[in-house]
Amino acid sequence: MPASSPSSRRTRSEELIARLNSVQTPSEAKLKDLRDLKNQIIGNRTKKLDFLNLGAMPCIVSILAFVVSSMHSEGGAGQELNELIAIQAAAAIGSFACGLEFGVKAVLEVGAFAILMSLLSHPNEKVVDAGARTLKLIYQSKLAPKFEFVKEKNMGFLLSLLSSKNENVTGLGANIITHSCQTSMEQQALSDAGVITKLVSLLEGSLSQREASLESLSYVMKENPETVTKFVGPQNGRPVNVVTELIKDKYPRTRLLACTCLIIIRNTCTSYLQDAGIKTGLVLALLELLDDPGQVGDDAPFVLSSLIAEKEDLQMIAFDAKVVDKLCNHLETGPFQAKRLQGIFLALADMCSELECCRDRALSLEALSYIKDALEHDSADIRTAACIFLRNLSRSVKNLSAGHFTDATVTSPMVQLLCDSCTSVQIAALGAISNTVVNFTAHKSIFMQCGGLKQLVQLSKSMDSAIRVNAIWALRNLAFLVNNRCKEEILLELTTPTLTSLIYDPEASVQEQAFALVRNLIDVPQDSVKYVFAEDGLLLHAVGRQLHSTAKVEVLIQGMYILSNLASGNEIHKEAAMDQLFPQSTDSRLQIAAVWALVNLTFPNSPGACGRVIKLRNAGKVSQLKTMVNDPCLDVKLRARMAVAQSMMFIDA
Amino acid sequence: MPVRVVETSSPSQVSGITPGSNTPPPCTLLSVGQGFSGTQNVSNSQKDEAWKVNVQIQGIDLDHGYLCGTMEALNVPMADTPVVTFWEGEIVDTKNYTFFTGKWGATTEDDIKHWTQFPSFSPLVGKVEVDGGKFLDLSNYPYIFMRWKEQYFVNVGTDCGLTIAGFYYVCFSCSDGSINGFYYDPNSSPFQKLELKSTNDGRSGFSFSSYELQNSQKRASFKIQAAKLPAGVELPKEEPKFNAPFLGFTKTAEIWNSRACMIGLIGTFIVELILNKGILQIIGVDIGKGLDIPL
């Protein structure tokens, strides 16, 4: 805190603070100085930081504390002046906290919070108002202390705030809920205490009350079917109608918050708000909000994502409303601040996750060029979002086949992103690469030349299981229908011991992808199967052992297909497949794989088939096949018939 | 051969089918990577030819009744190399598509005329004539009906003198993987036949590759897991047991403390021996007077 400094020149700000600190300054002068200070800092971030560094916060708070205690002890004449000082002090504190995390921290460190709370119970409306406004601003920051709803006293306090006639006080109550309501227990506690009814009544209040209420209702209902039912239930769904009307309100932020609220209801309880009118209304409202230049426009794409994610019917409605066109248009008119760009990419990704028409449209609107630029953006969030968009775009088999995703201008930056410092970027890049390497050509030269294979193999040894599984997934897709030279390259880089350790990986999903990779590698048995026998059959042994020990059906299916593919080779291969374990199951997919293996083992025109059939019959497999001939699943039935027919040829002979 | 029973928690599941639906069953012979080869009869005003054709399935999405792949025509008279086209298919699954085409210049009469060319269609004709077969139950029917439409030439230009304006009515047999089709194009000779069989590519058996396209994963909640050990590191077989010492008395501490004590004592005696004075004298304490407490 600056005392009178030895140097003669002091800034006006320092003088102001010094005057406020001094006990000799009369109260009227302090009031004037406070007002002056408040006016200087409003909207001026630099000044706020300057004053904070000069120790303005402790100074103001001590003045506030002083007048608060005088207000409690004295009566009479000094009261009015004290109240005015309190109001200005609270307003100044609020201004420091507004939109400035450093300011909020300063407020909390000095312990002003309790003092501000005490202002709320003051008889003078204006004082209460000032205190409420300031607290509202503090509660907009994440640094504000968490409000414990489960304590009864606190809940009572909150309810009194919500029942107040003062707009700022009710707004504060709602802001507290928005800030602190995080768990379903808290949501339930709020609902039980009747908070929802109070918030519903606020929906018909002033603009700020409406907005605060909408926001806090979203937090109370998020992923909690009981609270949603409580909100929708009584009064014949009137609250829902009120919110639905608010989608067409004239204020954009209200519209956005109303959309968010309805979307949360839809997503939490699938029995509400499913009619076509609501769906279209939400899509159109959000479409318009995307154009907003401010904060609302930044948030709108995220809200759109929450509406359409994993819901094909909504994606279709949005496509018909030309959402893809609008989003791509926005990409063109950029550059944007990071949040909006990220939102647009993620919304486009959600649009393209299932519908081919959306992907086609996006590609025709030059989506790939925007992605290419974004892959090298400074912000990790944008790089991740661009990769996610590319991943979903490349789910289009038509475009994969046409090779639209394999040119070096896309492949090279993607491979670079595999070494990104941020894990989420790496995982998103791996996801996109898993899809783009499926291009149905026998050679993946561009990808290999960019060093992609090396990177994938490196990442498959990662300690993070999410990276491991995605890397091996990409390798599996890479190995689909490639020629022998490519397969050799893959195995040379990956090495059999690494592949074996992936087969023994603790994560079942990694095991599944590793098996699928081996399945793809031995698809053309003539040459590539030699790897299965390399190093004393290390790989084959591992496959067999894992088939024995795993219980997860997906892993077993892939394992059976390995054996089945092996059994489609020459005699040595068939004999090797015979020695392995054949699990029994009621899962049709596994049964089909097992029957294919038997079909291959009993394939006519192979010399050892007769011997194998005898062995199979002795192991009871033939009679098992005969029961499968009547299986409800058509594919199992037909394959079993094929296998039985082949076996009977040898048994009868 | 040893056998093991596998517990599955979910009921017998086949991907792509919802229980109780009427859509055709998935068939492993009609899956990605599978190849078919055979011939297509091509007739024009001059002569009849049979081109060798290879088909490969590249994508299949049973939920949307969609599949796609490439078709390669060999020994095409006007071309130096095999001509490859990319086609997209509609599966007649009564959910996404019915037997009525409704586009590409094909009327319902054309549809019926072509479907009836397939012997396996005859049991269905009655219901299809009414409404395209919207309510047929194909879930156990051993044939899958499709329409394949070529979308573009992969390796030749559009000026190669060949046309892809029409589409194929296709019938696939689930039991042996054979495919029959009839090309429909209002401007070409009718009923040009496509006959394909499932190929093994010279293997003695059937082989299946697969790929899986990634989709949006749920924004995952975090699960804390132990990281995978780096290569070569092994966990010990037994966890070492730690017994807390009684009152802090550990064997090692006792031994060392005793040693230090003994060494200290002997050291003190040696110092006294050398300096010929008591140790207390050396450090300056006055001796002979005891504690010197005035009583």
Side-chain angles (χ1 to χ4, degrees):
Chain A
M1 196 166 309
S4 48
S5 56
S7 64
S8 47
R9 276 197 60 216
R10 275 199 304 190
T11 62
R12 292 196 51 190
S13 315
E14 285 171 345
E15 282 179 7
L16 200 156
I17 300 288
R19 278 201 303 275
L20 284 173
N21 273 328
S22 156
V23 284
Q24 283 139 9
T25 324
S27 300
E28 289 84 0
K30 285 201 182 179
L31 177 60
K32 183 173 162 304
D33 278 331
L34 273 175
R35 201 178 275 136
D36 190 19
L37 171 62
K38 183 197 76 178
N39 291 339
Q40 279 190 51
I41 60 176
I42 283 185
N44 191 329
R45 192 193 153 92
T46 328
K47 278 236 178 224
K48 285 185 199 177
L49 288 168
D50 279 344
F51 272 111
L52 283 172
N53 287 329
L54 288 174
M57 192 59 72
C59 168
I60 300 176
V61 173
S62 65
I63 294 177
L64 183 62
F66 179 69
V67 297
V68 166
S69 57
S70 343
M71 285 194 288
H72 284 156
S73 48
E74 307 174 2
Q79 274 296 55
E80 215 184 288
L81 185 58
N82 282 340
E83 285 171 5
L84 288 170
I85 292 179
I87 291 171
Q88 291 304 322
I93 296 174
S95 198
F96 274 121
C98 180
L100 191 64
E101 294 287 300
F102 186 59
V104 176
K105 218 163 82 143
V107 174
L108 295 171
E109 273 170 7
V110 174
F113 199 74
I115 305 174
L116 289 166
M117 279 290 195
S118 68
L119 290 178
L120 293 176
S121 34
H122 197 274
N124 184 332
E125 265 304 302
K126 294 211 183 94
V127 173
V128 171
D129 200 62
R133 236 185 276 140
T134 305
L135 283 166
K136 254 185 17 174
L137 289 166
I138 294 177
Y139 265 108
Q140 275 165 13
S141 154
K142 287 200 177 38
L143 294 173
K146 186 164 152 66
F147 193 85
E148 298 293 339
F149 298 110
V150 286
K151 297 205 179 104
E152 255 209 61
K153 212 173 58 155
N154 283 350
M155 192 61 89
F157 177 64
L158 183 64
L159 284 168
S160 71
L161 289 180
L162 289 172
S163 318
S164 161
K165 300 225 178 2
N166 183 315
E167 196 178 297
N168 282 314
V169 174
T170 51
L172 170 63
N175 275 12
I176 290 177
I177 296 175
T178 304
H179 174 271
S180 297
C181 178
Q182 283 153 8
T183 67
S184 61
M185 252 179 54
E186 288 167 341
Q187 289 172 326
Q188 198 60 45
L190 285 166
S191 167
D192 291 338
V195 163
I196 293 186
T197 326
K198 298 242 185 282
L199 288 174
V200 167
S201 61
L202 284 181
L203 283 176
E204 299 177 27
S206 70
L207 172 64
S208 70
Q209 282 177 326
R210 280 203 302 271
E211 290 186 356
S213 163
L214 281 170
E215 210 175 349
S216 43
L217 278 167
S218 300
Y219 278 87
V220 173
M221 291 195 286
K222 201 178 208 179
E223 289 167 24
N224 190 324
E226 279 106 19
T227 50
V228 169
T229 317
K230 190 128 188 227
F231 174 75
V232 176
Q235 302 176 54
N236 290 328
R238 198 167 163 274
V240 177
N241 290 340
V242 171
V243 178
T244 312
E245 281 307 305
L246 286 173
I247 300 182
K248 303 177 205 134
D249 194 82
K250 65 175 172 169
Y251 293 100
R253 187 147 187 271
T254 309
R255 295 203 294 273
L256 186 69
L257 290 169
C259 287
T260 314
C261 196
L262 289 179
I263 291 170
I264 284 181
I265 295 176
R266 276 199 94 235
N267 289 349
T268 308
C269 271
T270 49
S271 46
Y272 296 124
L273 296 175
Q274 297 301 328
D275 64 316
I278 288 279
K279 291 191 220 176
T280 320
L282 282 169
V283 168
L284 292 174
L286 286 168
L287 189 63
E288 209 196 315
L289 287 168
L290 286 170
D291 286 328
D292 185 280
Q295 173 77 22
V296 171
D298 292 345
D299 292 335
F302 292 96
V303 179
L304 179 63
S305 280
S306 67
L307 175 64
I308 61 175
E310 295 168 25
K311 294 197 168 56
E312 225 179 283
D313 52 340
L314 277 157
Q315 288 163 17
M316 201 63 224
I317 295 176
F319 175 70
D320 289 333
K322 304 220 179 315
V323 164
V324 176
D325 297 61
K326 169 150 287 191
L327 289 169
C328 288
N329 242 350
H330 277 288
L331 283 177
E332 196 184 326
T333 54
F336 293 115
Q337 61 132 288
K339 187 104 195 284
R340 187 180 292 226
L341 192 55
Q342 180 195 9
I344 293 179
F345 276 132
L346 289 176
L348 278 167
D350 279 317
M351 283 295 292
C352 295
S353 60
E354 293 296 338
L355 295 177
E356 186 65 24
C357 48
C358 293
R359 294 180 207 136
D360 272 339
R361 192 92 192 98
L363 283 167
S364 68
L365 292 169
E366 309 292 323
L368 268 182
S369 62
Y370 304 125
I371 293 178
K372 278 182 215 174
D373 294 333
L375 289 177
E376 288 159 358
H377 200 278
D378 293 328
S379 157
D381 286 332
I382 290 183
R383 294 199 298 274
T384 311
C387 285
I388 292 177
F389 182 28
L390 180 60
R391 177 194 70 198
N392 283 7
L393 261 184
S394 53
R395 283 171 57 75
S396 160
V397 180
K398 182 166 92 177
N399 287 293
L400 281 173
S401 183
H404 289 155
F405 300 108
T406 47
D407 66 290
T409 52
V410 174
T411 313
S412 184
M414 290 298 301
V415 173
Q416 290 297 320
L417 286 181
L418 289 177
C419 329
D420 197 283
S421 51
C422 178
T423 316
S424 63
V425 177
Q426 283 180 308
I427 295 180
L430 279 170
I433 285 177
S434 305
N435 289 357
T436 55
V437 292
V438 180
N439 60 0
F440 309 107
T441 55
H443 52 89
K444 315 280 179 181
S445 40
I446 297 182
F447 183 71
M448 307 289 220
Q449 273 161 26
C450 294
L453 179 60
K454 260 198 171 49
Q455 283 304 323
L456 286 180
V457 171
Q458 191 57 33
L459 289 173
S460 68
K461 300 179 197 160
S462 162
M463 299 244 285
D464 181 335
S465 65
I467 292 186
R468 248 190 349 267
V469 75
N470 281 298
I472 191 87
W473 192 330
L475 281 169
R476 167 223 185 149
N477 282 355
L478 183 66
F480 176 70
L481 291 187
V482 285
N483 59 22
N484 277 331
R485 225 201 78 207
C486 206
K487 288 184 190 172
E488 269 190 41
E489 261 187 76
I490 294 176
L491 266 172
L492 218 62
E493 186 69 39
L494 184 61
T495 74
T496 312
T498 313
L499 185 50
T500 315
S501 81
L502 285 165
I503 290 176
Y504 288 133
D505 195 279
E507 289 291 316
S509 45
V510 178
Q511 289 172 14
E512 183 190 340
Q513 297 298 338
F515 267 6
L517 172 60
V518 176
R519 168 184 172 180
N520 284 356
L521 285 173
I522 63 173
D523 179 24
V524 180
Q526 269 71 341
D527 285 347
S528 44
V529 164
K530 65 182 183 225
Y531 304 114
V532 169
F533 298 108
E535 310 202 21
D536 291 330
L538 182 65
L539 206 54
L540 185 59
H541 187 61
V543 169
R545 263 186 68 179
Q546 202 64 344
L547 270 179
H548 188 89
S549 52
T550 187
K552 191 131 188 285
V553 165
E554 285 80 9
V555 180
L556 283 168
I557 292 171
Q558 298 296 340
M560 276 318 300
Y561 274 114
I562 293 178
L563 295 183
S564 172
N565 286 2
L566 187 59
S568 70
N570 60 28
E571 282 307 300
I572 307 174
H573 307 148
K574 289 188 201 275
E575 289 305 318
M578 279 287 288
D579 293 331
Q580 298 303 329
L581 185 64
F582 273 52
Q584 220 176 4
S585 155
T586 50
D587 188 308
S588 313
R589 299 169 295 173
L590 191 48
Q591 283 179 322
I592 293 173
V595 177
W596 274 119
L598 292 170
V599 164
N600 288 343
L601 287 171
T602 58
F603 208 71
N605 305 335
S606 50
C610 192
R612 285 193 289 277
V613 169
I614 310 279
K615 266 199 221 164
L616 288 170
R617 187 186 60 181
N618 294 340
K621 295 308 279 183
V622 178
S623 32
Q624 208 182 358
L625 278 172
K626 287 186 177 158
T627 58
M628 283 201 235
V629 164
N630 297 320
D631 195 279
C633 173
L634 186 69
D635 212 8
V636 173
K637 208 189 324 204
L638 293 171
R639 296 316 134 224
R641 264 191 219 155
M642 197 193 263
V644 167
Q646 283 174 186
S647 313
M648 294 320 280
M649 265 172 32
F650 292 104
I651 291 180
D652 293 337
Chain B
M1 178 171 317
V3 146
R4 189 166 58 80
V5 179
V6 172
E7 307 294 325
T8 43
S9 51
S10 48
S12 176
Q13 243 182 57
V14 188
S15 58
I17 271 201
T18 43
S21 77
N22 295 336
T23 54
C27 180
T28 28
L29 283 172
L30 191 68
S31 54
V32 294
Q34 289 309 295
F36 304 85
S37 62
T39 56
Q40 168 159 359
N41 296 337
V42 179
S43 60
N44 49 32
S45 44
Q46 281 94 39
K47 55 188 183 303
D48 286 338
E49 296 165 346
W51 297 352
K52 277 222 279 274
V53 169
N54 293 324
V55 163
Q56 189 191 59
I57 311 279
Q58 291 183 343
I60 189 159
D61 177 0
L62 292 172
D63 287 333
H64 295 102
Y66 172 86
L67 75 164
C68 64
T70 50
M71 199 182 276
E72 181 190 25
L74 298 122
N75 59 300
V76 175
M78 291 153 286
D80 311 320
T81 58
V83 176
V84 182
T85 54
F86 176 84
W87 55 267
E88 285 183 308
E90 301 177 342
I91 301 175
V92 177
D93 57 6
T94 70
K95 183 177 85 167
N96 293 292
Y97 303 103
T98 66
F99 283 93
F100 289 156
T101 310
K103 51 182 181 271
W104 301 329
T107 63
T108 51
E109 285 86 29
D110 293 320
D111 292 333
I112 300 285
K113 250 199 308 193
H114 283 84
W115 293 124
T116 43
Q117 298 288 325
F118 300 114
S120 49
F121 181 73
S122 4
L124 310 173
V125 112
K127 286 216 173 127
V128 173
E129 277 173 335
V130 176
D131 56 8
K134 262 194 287 219
F135 302 105
L136 274 173
D137 180 1
L138 297 170
S139 54
N140 265 307
Y141 207 63
Y143 295 91
I144 297 180
F145 297 96
M146 301 173 270
R147 285 179 286 267
W148 291 0
K149 173 110 177 78
E150 290 161 295
Q151 299 294 324
Y152 56 80
F153 289 101
V154 171
N155 62 346
V156 297
T158 43
D159 53 354
C160 61
L162 303 163
T163 174
I164 53 171
F167 68 96
Y168 292 87
Y169 290 87
V170 175
C171 174
F172 168 83
S173 160
C174 303
S175 41
D176 62 1
S178 62
I179 294 181
N180 289 293
F182 291 98
Y183 189 63
Y184 172 78
D185 181 0
N187 302 324
S188 302
S189 321
F191 302 118
Q192 295 179 45
K193 195 157 195 241
L194 178 71
E195 284 171 284
L196 304 169
K197 286 204 173 6
S198 183
T199 50
N200 293 343
D201 272 341
R203 300 177 213 123
S204 49
F206 295 86
S207 182
F208 301 95
S209 269
S210 77
Y211 68 85
E212 194 183 339
L213 290 175
Q214 283 211 30
N215 198 350
S216 301
Q217 290 118 17
K218 280 206 164 73
R219 321 288 156 130
S221 52
F222 278 106
K223 210 167 70 161
I224 309 280
Q225 281 172 337
K228 181 182 176 185
L229 293 171
V233 173
E234 272 180 19
L235 286 170
K237 290 200 193 57
E238 270 176 39
E239 227 181 85
K241 288 196 202 46
F242 175 63
N243 298 320
F246 176 65
L247 286 181
F249 283 105
T250 64
K251 198 148 176 281
T252 320
E254 293 297 297
I255 291 176
W256 280 101
N257 280 325
S258 329
R259 286 178 187 161
C261 179
M262 286 185 274
I263 292 170
L265 270 176
I266 304 293
T268 313
F269 297 150
I270 294 175
V271 164
E272 286 192 6
L273 195 63
I274 296 172
L275 296 179
N276 225 3
K277 277 206 275 188
I279 193 79
L280 285 175
Q281 260 183 309
I282 295 169
I283 64 176
V285 176
D286 223 2
I287 49 173
K289 293 203 191 115
L291 282 173
D292 205 12
I293 304 171
L295 286 168

